[in-house]
Amino acid sequence: MKIGALEAGGTKMVLAVYDLDMNELDRVTMPTEAPEITVPAMKAFFDGHNIDALGVGSFGPLDPNPASPTYGYITSTPKLKWRNYPLLPKLLEGRAIPAAIDTDVNAAVIAEMELGAARGCENAVYMTIGTGIGGGVAVHGKTVHGLLHPEAGHIPLRPHPLDPNPRGVCPYHESCLEGLAAGPAIGARVGGDAGQLPDDHPTFEIEAWYLAQMCMNLTLTLSPEKIILGGGVMNRSCLFPMVRQMTLDLLGGYVQVDRIIHHMDEYIVPPKLYPLSGLVGSFLLGRRALESARG
Protein backbone atom coordinates (compact mmCIF):
# COMPACT_ATOMS: atom_id res chain seq x y z
CA MET A 1 0.00 0.00 0.00
CA LYS A 2 1.26 3.47 -0.91
CA ILE A 3 0.19 6.75 0.64
CA GLY A 4 0.72 10.05 -1.13
CA ALA A 5 1.49 13.17 0.88
CA LEU A 6 1.43 16.77 -0.30
CA GLU A 7 2.53 19.84 1.61
CA ALA A 8 1.14 22.64 -0.54
CA GLY A 9 2.91 25.93 0.13
CA GLY A 10 2.73 29.37 -1.38
CA THR A 11 6.19 29.13 -2.93
CA LYS A 12 6.75 25.39 -3.30
CA MET A 13 4.95 22.07 -3.33
CA VAL A 14 6.56 19.11 -1.57
CA LEU A 15 5.22 15.71 -2.62
CA ALA A 16 6.14 12.30 -1.26
CA VAL A 17 5.04 8.69 -1.35
CA TYR A 18 5.31 6.46 1.72
CA ASP A 19 4.50 2.91 2.66
CA LEU A 20 2.21 2.24 5.64
CA ASP A 21 5.17 2.27 8.05
CA MET A 22 6.14 5.79 6.90
CA ASN A 23 9.17 4.66 4.94
CA GLU A 24 9.69 7.29 2.26
CA LEU A 25 9.64 5.79 -1.25
CA ASP A 26 10.00 8.98 -3.29
CA ARG A 27 9.94 12.75 -2.84
CA VAL A 28 9.95 15.73 -5.21
CA THR A 29 9.70 19.49 -4.83
CA MET A 30 8.25 21.79 -7.44
CA PRO A 31 7.54 25.52 -7.52
CA THR A 32 4.04 26.78 -6.85
CA GLU A 33 3.05 28.25 -10.19
CA ALA A 34 -0.42 28.74 -11.64
CA PRO A 35 -2.78 25.81 -10.93
CA GLU A 36 -2.96 24.81 -14.59
CA ILE A 37 0.82 24.25 -14.52
CA THR A 38 1.38 22.89 -11.02
CA VAL A 39 -1.60 20.61 -10.47
CA PRO A 40 -1.18 18.39 -13.56
CA ALA A 41 2.47 17.84 -12.61
CA MET A 42 1.49 16.88 -9.05
CA LYS A 43 -1.27 14.59 -10.26
CA ALA A 44 1.13 12.89 -12.66
CA PHE A 45 3.57 12.23 -9.80
CA PHE A 46 0.93 10.56 -7.63
CA ASP A 47 -0.66 8.69 -10.54
CA GLY A 48 2.76 7.39 -11.52
CA HIS A 49 3.11 5.77 -8.10
CA ASN A 50 -0.44 4.34 -8.17
CA ILE A 51 -1.12 5.56 -4.62
CA ASP A 52 -3.84 3.98 -2.45
CA ALA A 53 -4.61 7.07 -0.34
CA LEU A 54 -3.73 10.76 -0.27
CA GLY A 55 -3.19 13.30 2.49
CA VAL A 56 -2.83 17.03 1.81
CA GLY A 57 -1.72 19.85 4.07
CA SER A 58 -2.28 23.10 2.21
CA PHE A 59 -1.99 26.84 2.54
CA GLY A 60 -5.35 28.42 3.02
CA PRO A 61 -7.88 29.49 3.86
CA LEU A 62 -9.51 26.30 2.65
CA ASP A 63 -12.68 24.28 3.16
CA PRO A 64 -11.85 21.34 5.46
CA ASN A 65 -15.42 20.09 5.96
CA PRO A 66 -15.94 16.68 4.30
CA ALA A 67 -19.72 17.29 4.21
CA SER A 68 -19.33 20.51 2.22
CA PRO A 69 -19.79 20.61 -1.57
CA THR A 70 -16.55 22.61 -1.73
CA TYR A 71 -14.51 20.27 0.49
CA GLY A 72 -10.85 20.52 -0.40
CA TYR A 73 -11.16 23.91 -2.10
CA ILE A 74 -8.68 26.69 -1.42
CA THR A 75 -10.90 29.69 -0.76
CA SER A 76 -10.05 33.36 -0.03
CA THR A 77 -6.29 33.10 -0.39
CA PRO A 78 -4.32 36.22 -1.31
CA LYS A 79 -2.68 34.02 -3.99
CA LEU A 80 -5.18 35.15 -6.59
CA LYS A 81 -4.63 32.38 -9.14
CA TRP A 82 -5.46 29.79 -6.46
CA ARG A 83 -8.56 31.54 -5.08
CA ASN A 84 -11.62 29.25 -4.99
CA TYR A 85 -9.58 26.43 -6.52
CA PRO A 86 -10.73 22.78 -6.05
CA LEU A 87 -7.32 21.43 -5.06
CA LEU A 88 -8.29 18.06 -3.60
CA PRO A 89 -10.96 17.25 -6.23
CA LYS A 90 -8.48 18.02 -9.03
CA LEU A 91 -5.82 15.77 -7.50
CA LEU A 92 -8.33 12.93 -7.19
CA GLU A 93 -9.77 13.14 -10.72
CA GLY A 94 -9.93 9.65 -12.18
CA ARG A 95 -8.86 7.95 -8.94
CA ALA A 96 -11.38 6.85 -6.28
CA ILE A 97 -9.14 6.54 -3.22
CA PRO A 98 -9.46 7.61 0.43
CA ALA A 99 -8.19 11.16 0.90
CA ALA A 100 -8.13 13.98 3.43
CA ILE A 101 -7.08 17.60 3.43
CA ASP A 102 -6.33 20.09 6.19
CA THR A 103 -4.29 23.24 6.56
CA ASP A 104 -0.52 22.91 6.38
CA VAL A 105 -0.20 24.01 10.01
CA ASN A 106 -2.85 21.56 11.17
CA ALA A 107 -0.89 18.83 9.39
CA ALA A 108 2.24 20.04 11.16
CA VAL A 109 0.67 19.96 14.62
CA ILE A 110 -0.61 16.43 13.98
CA ALA A 111 2.91 15.32 13.12
CA GLU A 112 4.52 17.05 16.09
CA MET A 113 1.97 15.55 18.50
CA GLU A 114 2.39 12.03 17.17
CA LEU A 115 6.13 12.00 16.50
CA GLY A 116 7.77 15.26 17.50
CA ALA A 117 8.01 18.11 19.99
CA ALA A 118 4.50 17.64 21.42
CA ARG A 119 4.60 13.86 21.72
CA GLY A 120 2.69 12.80 24.82
CA CYS A 121 0.63 15.99 24.92
CA GLU A 122 -3.15 16.01 24.68
CA ASN A 123 -3.28 19.57 23.34
CA ALA A 124 -0.83 21.65 21.34
CA VAL A 125 -0.54 24.61 19.00
CA TYR A 126 1.82 24.85 16.04
CA MET A 127 2.55 28.34 14.70
CA THR A 128 4.55 28.81 11.54
CA ILE A 129 6.25 32.18 11.13
CA GLY A 130 7.54 32.62 7.64
CA THR A 131 6.28 34.36 4.49
CA GLY A 132 2.92 34.26 6.26
CA ILE A 133 1.79 33.19 9.71
CA GLY A 134 -0.61 30.35 10.38
CA GLY A 135 -1.68 28.35 13.38
CA GLY A 136 -2.65 24.72 13.81
CA VAL A 137 -4.56 23.64 16.92
CA ALA A 138 -5.01 20.04 18.04
CA VAL A 139 -7.02 18.70 20.97
CA HIS A 140 -6.87 14.99 21.89
CA GLY A 141 -4.99 14.37 18.67
CA LYS A 142 -7.65 15.93 16.44
CA THR A 143 -7.32 19.27 14.72
CA VAL A 144 -9.79 21.98 15.62
CA HIS A 145 -12.37 23.01 13.02
CA GLY A 146 -15.34 25.25 13.57
CA LEU A 147 -16.98 27.50 11.02
CA LEU A 148 -13.72 27.13 9.11
CA HIS A 149 -10.37 26.49 10.79
CA PRO A 150 -8.29 28.64 13.14
CA GLU A 151 -6.72 31.67 11.45
CA ALA A 152 -4.48 32.68 14.33
CA GLY A 153 -2.16 34.52 11.97
CA HIS A 154 -4.64 37.36 11.77
CA ILE A 155 -5.33 38.10 15.42
CA PRO A 156 -4.94 41.83 16.24
CA LEU A 157 -1.89 42.98 18.20
CA ARG A 158 -0.73 46.15 19.89
CA PRO A 159 1.89 47.78 17.68
CA HIS A 160 5.32 48.20 19.25
CA PRO A 161 5.98 51.88 20.08
CA LEU A 162 9.22 51.80 18.06
CA ASP A 163 7.78 50.03 15.02
CA PRO A 164 8.15 52.36 12.01
CA ASN A 165 5.31 50.51 10.23
CA PRO A 166 2.64 50.00 12.92
CA ARG A 167 -0.12 49.27 10.42
CA GLY A 168 1.72 46.23 9.11
CA VAL A 169 1.64 44.80 5.59
CA CYS A 170 -1.50 42.63 5.64
CA PRO A 171 -3.90 43.66 2.84
CA TYR A 172 -6.90 42.54 4.91
CA HIS A 173 -6.27 43.82 8.45
CA GLU A 174 -4.54 46.66 10.23
CA SER A 175 -1.99 45.66 12.90
CA CYS A 176 -2.61 41.92 12.73
CA LEU A 177 -0.04 39.27 13.64
CA GLU A 178 0.86 38.32 10.07
CA GLY A 179 1.00 41.93 8.97
CA LEU A 180 3.37 42.82 11.81
CA ALA A 181 5.50 39.71 12.32
CA ALA A 182 5.74 37.63 9.12
CA GLY A 183 8.89 37.75 7.03
CA PRO A 184 7.62 40.47 4.65
CA ALA A 185 6.71 42.65 7.63
CA ILE A 186 10.26 42.41 8.98
CA GLY A 187 11.63 43.25 5.53
CA ALA A 188 9.32 46.25 5.22
CA ARG A 189 10.37 47.44 8.68
CA VAL A 190 14.07 47.47 7.84
CA GLY A 191 13.73 48.35 4.16
CA GLY A 192 15.48 45.27 2.88
CA ASP A 193 16.59 41.72 3.63
CA ALA A 194 16.52 41.16 7.40
CA GLY A 195 18.48 37.94 6.91
CA GLN A 196 21.64 40.00 6.61
CA LEU A 197 21.14 41.79 9.94
CA PRO A 198 22.97 40.85 13.18
CA ASP A 199 21.06 39.26 16.07
CA ASP A 200 21.29 42.42 18.16
CA HIS A 201 19.47 44.54 15.57
CA PRO A 202 16.45 46.27 17.20
CA THR A 203 14.00 44.75 14.70
CA PHE A 204 14.35 41.34 16.35
CA GLU A 205 13.32 42.70 19.73
CA ILE A 206 10.23 44.17 18.03
CA GLU A 207 9.60 40.81 16.36
CA ALA A 208 9.94 38.93 19.65
CA TRP A 209 7.49 41.32 21.30
CA TYR A 210 4.86 40.55 18.65
CA LEU A 211 5.44 36.81 18.95
CA ALA A 212 5.20 37.07 22.74
CA GLN A 213 1.80 38.76 22.41
CA MET A 214 0.79 35.86 20.19
CA CYS A 215 1.99 33.30 22.75
CA MET A 216 0.24 35.13 25.57
CA ASN A 217 -3.04 35.13 23.62
CA LEU A 218 -2.70 31.44 22.77
CA THR A 219 -1.96 30.58 26.40
CA LEU A 220 -4.96 32.49 27.72
CA THR A 221 -7.47 31.38 25.08
CA LEU A 222 -6.46 27.79 24.26
CA SER A 223 -4.30 26.73 27.23
CA PRO A 224 -2.15 24.35 25.18
CA GLU A 225 0.41 22.06 26.76
CA LYS A 226 2.96 23.11 24.12
CA ILE A 227 3.37 26.05 21.78
CA ILE A 228 5.56 25.05 18.84
CA LEU A 229 7.08 27.83 16.75
CA GLY A 230 8.28 26.83 13.29
CA GLY A 231 8.91 28.52 9.96
CA GLY A 232 11.89 30.31 8.48
CA VAL A 233 11.77 33.36 10.75
CA MET A 234 12.28 31.14 13.80
CA ASN A 235 15.64 29.99 12.42
CA ARG A 236 16.94 33.24 13.94
CA SER A 237 18.34 31.75 17.17
CA CYS A 238 18.04 34.94 19.23
CA LEU A 239 14.23 34.91 19.03
CA PHE A 240 13.34 31.96 21.25
CA PRO A 241 14.93 33.30 24.48
CA MET A 242 13.39 36.74 23.94
CA VAL A 243 9.94 35.35 23.11
CA ARG A 244 9.93 33.14 26.19
CA GLN A 245 10.97 35.93 28.55
CA MET A 246 8.59 38.50 27.03
CA THR A 247 5.69 36.03 27.17
CA LEU A 248 6.43 35.45 30.85
CA ASP A 249 6.54 39.21 31.44
CA LEU A 250 3.27 39.81 29.57
CA LEU A 251 1.47 37.08 31.53
CA GLY A 252 2.49 38.94 34.68
CA GLY A 253 2.22 35.94 36.98
CA TYR A 254 -1.46 35.41 36.17
CA VAL A 255 -1.03 31.80 35.00
CA GLN A 256 0.41 29.92 37.96
CA VAL A 257 1.63 26.79 36.21
CA ASP A 258 5.06 25.32 36.85
CA ARG A 259 5.86 24.79 33.17
CA ILE A 260 5.30 28.48 32.45
CA ILE A 261 6.84 29.92 35.61
CA HIS A 262 9.93 27.70 35.79
CA HIS A 263 10.20 25.76 32.52
CA MET A 264 9.23 28.14 29.73
CA ASP A 265 11.92 26.51 27.56
CA GLU A 266 9.76 23.36 27.61
CA TYR A 267 6.56 25.25 26.83
CA ILE A 268 7.52 27.43 23.85
CA VAL A 269 9.64 25.14 21.71
CA PRO A 270 10.90 24.60 18.16
CA PRO A 271 9.50 21.70 16.10
CA LYS A 272 11.45 18.46 16.11
CA LEU A 273 10.36 17.46 12.60
CA TYR A 274 11.05 20.77 10.83
CA PRO A 275 11.22 21.24 7.88
CA LEU A 276 9.16 18.08 7.28
CA SER A 277 6.43 18.59 9.90
CA GLY A 278 3.77 19.45 7.33
CA LEU A 279 4.74 16.65 4.96
CA VAL A 280 4.77 14.03 7.71
CA GLY A 281 1.42 15.34 8.93
CA SER A 282 0.03 15.04 5.41
CA PHE A 283 1.11 11.41 5.35
CA LEU A 284 -0.65 10.85 8.67
CA LEU A 285 -3.82 12.44 7.25
CA GLY A 286 -3.67 10.06 4.30
CA ARG A 287 -3.04 7.03 6.50
CA ARG A 288 -5.94 7.97 8.77
CA ALA A 289 -8.20 8.32 5.71
CA LEU A 290 -7.15 4.85 4.55
CA GLU A 291 -7.75 3.33 7.99
CA SER A 292 -11.16 5.00 8.22
CA ALA A 293 -12.15 3.67 4.80
CA ARG A 294 -11.16 0.16 5.86
CA GLY A 295 -13.35 0.48 8.96
Side-chain angles (χ1 to χ4, degrees):
M1 303 292 282
K2 296 179 182 178
I3 297 177
L6 165 62
E7 183 180 12
T11 58
K12 65 179 179 180
M13 302 286 188
V14 184
L15 302 82
V17 175
Y18 297 88
D19 66 17
L20 287 177
D21 295 321
M22 213 179 81
N23 295 305
E24 186 180 289
L25 306 177
D26 195 7
R27 189 200 312 174
V28 297
T29 300
M30 58 186 69
T32 303
E33 301 181 79
E36 60 267 23
I37 298 173
T38 305
V39 172
M42 294 194 295
K43 189 175 186 308
F45 172 80
F46 289 129
D47 287 348
H49 283 282
N50 196 29
I51 58 172
D52 300 289
L54 175 65
V56 178
S58 174
F59 66 87
L62 56 82
D63 184 349
N65 180 6
S68 169
T70 55
Y71 174 56
Y73 280 52
I74 296 172
T75 59
S76 56
T77 176
K79 301 167 183 63
L80 297 181
K81 292 181 179 180
W82 290 84
R83 186 168 290 180
N84 300 317
Y85 186 79
L87 177 60
L88 187 61
K90 286 291 186 181
L91 291 172
L92 292 176
E93 278 184 352
R95 184 173 291 274
I97 58 174
I101 189 170
D102 210 328
T103 63
D104 48 0
V105 281
N106 270 348
V109 76
I110 288 170
E112 292 292 337
M113 285 189 73
E114 188 158 329
L115 301 166
R119 193 169 186 175
C121 294
E122 288 291 313
N123 315 286
V125 176
Y126 185 105
M127 298 296 300
T128 184
I129 297 94
T131 304
I133 295 181
V137 182
V139 178
H140 303 305
K142 295 183 179 180
T143 54
V144 172
H145 296 150
L147 289 173
L148 186 62
H149 48 74
E151 281 288 347
H154 292 269
I155 59 175
L157 300 181
R158 288 178 292 158
H160 192 285
L162 299 181
D163 190 342
N165 187 21
R167 189 212 174 276
V169 299
C170 176
Y172 289 96
H173 311 114
E174 181 176 344
S175 303
C176 76
L177 172 59
E178 182 171 289
L180 291 170
I186 303 173
R189 188 175 302 125
V190 300
D193 183 5
Q196 306 304 313
L197 299 176
D199 281 356
D200 60 356
H201 192 280
T203 194
F204 296 116
E205 184 173 341
I206 294 173
E207 176 71 8
W209 194 73
Y210 288 137
L211 297 180
Q213 286 190 65
M214 171 191 78
C215 289
M216 176 190 180
N217 288 332
L218 293 172
T219 299
L220 295 175
T221 56
L222 298 175
S223 194
E225 294 172 80
K226 293 270 187 182
I227 297 175
I228 304 165
L229 304 184
V233 170
M234 296 312 300
N235 289 332
R236 179 68 66 158
S237 60
C238 66
L239 285 174
F240 270 101
M242 288 194 291
V243 171
R244 289 168 178 145
Q245 184 59 53
M246 290 180 185
T247 302
L248 192 62
D249 294 342
L250 286 171
L251 286 169
Y254 183 76
V255 180
Q256 290 292 312
V257 178
D258 183 71
R259 182 175 296 177
I260 288 177
I261 297 172
H262 299 297
H263 300 284
M264 186 63 88
D265 60 334
E266 298 175 12
Y267 180 61
I268 299 173
V269 300
K272 284 190 175 179
L273 302 176
Y274 183 80
L276 297 179
S277 304
L279 187 64
V280 171
S282 298
F283 158 76
L284 294 172
L285 286 170
R287 189 168 70 178
R288 288 180 182 181
L290 182 62
E291 291 169 350
S292 179
R294 286 173 163 181

